[in-house]
């Protein structure tokens, strides 16, 4: 078992993106994402973030790879090149397996799946997906990619008070996988 977490911001219809981008601009939520995915108990370690090739492509070049994290990009395209230090994987199982590699294992603290829709859909089905960090946006946005249903398999454990930013109200929530 290789336990991992998943982090996503979703609107009231579970929308998560539009035209390859986020449909909203919420700097405090981006900070929340950065804080959670960078946070380590052991300063000698980093977290391993797994993303799809389209999510990688949605990050402006100057901001990628995401700093202070080991970036892993999923792609079936063998000819795509990534900057030094970025880990590529041809499927999700390979991405998880790479975290156990002798060169990486002792340098990784936690694993986060960070999107997008195609990767979330697959990751959430894995029993190793133990915890969800969700930012629930109260409005509905115009989206073309969606987060899969999750309430049957996960239960709410933490819910923050509401925040409002750029006229958008949202709250942070944590869910854990229901025991079988
Ligand atoms: N709201 C949020 O928190 C959040 C977070 C992240 C992303 N997003 C949004 O989500 C959207 C992107 O999501 P998306 O579903 O279109 O794309 P995606 O999941 O980011 O990337 C899809 C690509 O990843 C690769 N891939 C996916 N599964 C794979 C597998 N099992 N094995 C190998 N490669 C695999 C493939 O790349 P190749 O085609 O190269 O083979 C595939 O085309 C954007 O709008 C983005 O802004 C939102």
């Amino acid at each position: 078992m290789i336990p991992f977490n998943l982090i996503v911001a979703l609107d009231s219809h579970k929308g998560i993106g539009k035209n390859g981008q986020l449909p909203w601009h919420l700097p405090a939520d981006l900070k929340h994402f950065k804080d959670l995915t960078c946070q380590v108990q052991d300063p000698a370690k980093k977290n391993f973030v797994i993303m799809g090739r389209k999510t990688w492509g949605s990050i402006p070049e100057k901001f990628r790879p995401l700093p202070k994290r080991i970036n892993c990009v999923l792609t079936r395209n063998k000819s795509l090149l990534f900057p030094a230090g970025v880990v590529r994987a041809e499927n999700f199982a390979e991405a998880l397996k790479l975290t156990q590699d002798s060169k990486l294992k002792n340098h990784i603290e936690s694993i986060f799946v960070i999107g997008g829709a195609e990767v979330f859909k697959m990751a959430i089905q894995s029993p190793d997906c133990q915890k969800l960090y969700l930012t629930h946006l109260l409005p509905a946005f115009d989206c073309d990619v969606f987060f899969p249903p999750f309430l049957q398999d996960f239960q709410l454990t933490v819910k923050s008070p509401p925040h409002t930013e750029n006229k958008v109200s949202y709250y942070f929530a944590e869910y854990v996988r229901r025991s079988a």
Side-chain angles (χ1 to χ4, degrees):
M1 187 174 183
I2 306 172
F4 64 87
N5 309 309
L6 182 158
I7 183 163
V8 64
L10 68 173
D11 78 0
S12 60
H13 293 158
K14 299 199 190 78
I16 67 162
K18 169 83 173 173
N19 295 332
Q21 295 296 328
L22 295 178
W24 46 78
H25 180 60
L26 301 173
D29 181 52
L30 292 177
K31 182 178 181 305
H32 173 76
F33 170 84
K34 186 179 172 189
D35 289 348
L36 267 175
T37 56
C38 288
Q39 187 178 72
V40 280
Q41 304 293 324
D42 178 348
K45 293 187 177 182
K46 288 179 179 173
N47 294 326
F48 189 84
V49 293
I50 302 174
M51 72 194 92
R53 189 263 308 161
K54 292 182 185 172
T55 293
W56 167 263
S58 76
I59 305 169
E61 247 179 286
K62 60 180 173 182
F63 294 128
R64 67 188 200 211
L66 297 174
K68 299 182 189 160
R69 289 149 281 187
I70 301 171
N71 288 221
C72 173
V73 183
L74 285 178
T75 177
R76 299 179 184 93
N77 182 341
K78 292 184 171 50
S79 55
L80 274 185
L81 297 174
F82 295 99
V86 173
V87 178
R88 55 177 298 143
E90 283 181 23
N91 57 60
F92 191 64
E94 187 195 352
L96 288 183
K97 213 170 137 198
L98 283 167
T99 64
Q100 305 303 297
D101 186 284
S102 56
K103 273 184 267 162
L104 278 180
K105 193 174 179 183
N106 296 331
H107 302 286
I108 294 173
E109 190 158 297
S110 301
I111 304 167
F112 287 88
V113 169
I114 64 164
E118 191 180 333
V119 176
F120 285 143
K121 195 174 168 194
M122 191 176 25
I124 206 168
Q125 290 171 23
S126 163
D128 288 0
C129 181
Q130 292 287 305
K131 194 163 183 179
L132 311 180
Y133 293 93
L134 266 52
T135 301
H136 287 285
L137 279 54
L138 302 193
F141 287 78
D142 183 17
C143 292
D144 58 12
V145 280
F146 295 85
F147 193 69
F150 60 95
L151 283 172
Q152 202 179 326
D153 295 319
F154 291 85
Q155 67 187 57
L156 180 71
T157 52
V158 176
K159 183 177 176 180
S160 77
H163 302 251
T164 301
E165 203 177 15
N166 293 337
K167 296 185 185 152
V168 177
S169 292
Y170 61 92
Y171 62 91
F172 301 120
E174 296 178 18
Y175 295 80
V176 293
R177 184 170 283 281
R178 296 181 193 277
S179 36

